[in-house]
Amino acid sequence: MRTEQEIIDQLNNLYPKMQPLVLAEDPFCSYDAFNDKYIVEIKSRDAQYPSWIIEREKFAANIDVAVQEGKQFVYLTEYNGKIITWNINTMVKNINFNIEWEERLMPATTEFENNNPVFKQVGHLYEYDGRIHTEEETL
């Protein structure tokens, strides 16, 4: 798995015309990176899944921040060097948008000591709804 900073560096190299993304300094911030146009939640995974999950709590918090700050909320999953992003603002505006929320038993946190299982509302994001970032693409 890669660090958030490594992923940010890769995106900044892929998109030199975009204002660089900066790592959020507060470890409890609802998003991991930002610039003048985007807030980005970053997840690096060590396995590939048929759908990627987003926590409803993060979804709601980041949509609120994005609307308040006039930015786009981008959810990013990295797996094995492949970056997939979903522009959540755009998806929410789509009348056919359905994130398929469900309750799932998961660790309370993944990066801190409290990893006792708790129930969380999570939604599913599919690669075909996202964008895969390569050298030829732009954000």
Side-chain angles (χ1 to χ4, degrees):
M1 290 188 356
R2 298 172 60 206
T3 67
E4 291 153 347
Q5 188 61 60
E6 289 171 331
I7 295 165
I8 290 167
D9 291 344
Q10 182 180 351
L11 283 173
N12 288 338
N13 287 332
L14 282 172
Y15 305 106
K17 294 181 181 179
M18 176 182 75
Q19 181 188 38
L21 290 167
V22 177
L23 184 67
E25 293 181 16
D26 180 356
F28 299 104
C29 185
S30 64
Y31 54 88
D32 300 306
F34 65 96
N35 67 13
D36 62 341
K37 190 173 180 181
Y38 301 103
I39 61 170
V40 183
E41 172 71 11
I42 299 171
K43 299 295 180 191
S44 182
R45 301 293 185 217
D46 58 3
Q48 187 168 10
Y49 298 94
S51 68
W52 305 96
I53 59 169
I54 182 172
E55 292 181 33
R56 189 173 203 149
E57 186 176 300
K58 291 269 187 159
F59 173 92
N62 286 326
I63 281 289
D64 287 347
V65 170
V67 168
Q68 289 172 6
E69 296 186 10
K71 297 183 180 187
Q72 297 292 303
F73 167 35
V74 173
Y75 189 82
L76 180 154
T77 296
E78 181 275 337
Y79 165 68
N80 201 23
K82 177 180 175 180
I83 293 176
I84 308 155
T85 60
W86 294 266
N87 184 317
I88 302 299
N89 292 60
T90 301
M91 293 175 75
V92 168
K93 289 178 185 176
N94 183 339
I95 195 164
N96 296 319
F97 174 72
N98 180 4
I99 201 160
E100 301 177 24
W101 296 110
E102 70 171 303
E103 197 160 294
R104 183 182 283 189
L105 191 60
M106 301 178 70
T109 62
T110 55
E111 298 178 22
F112 304 100
E113 291 182 14
N114 181 12
N115 58 6
N116 295 325
V118 296
F119 282 101
K120 294 183 181 183
Q121 286 277 322
V122 297
H124 298 269
L125 297 171
Y126 297 93
E127 283 189 32
Y128 56 78
D129 288 324
R131 171 183 263 169
I132 298 171
H133 295 272
T134 65
E135 298 291 332
E136 298 81 35
E137 303 235 7
T138 58
L139 248 177

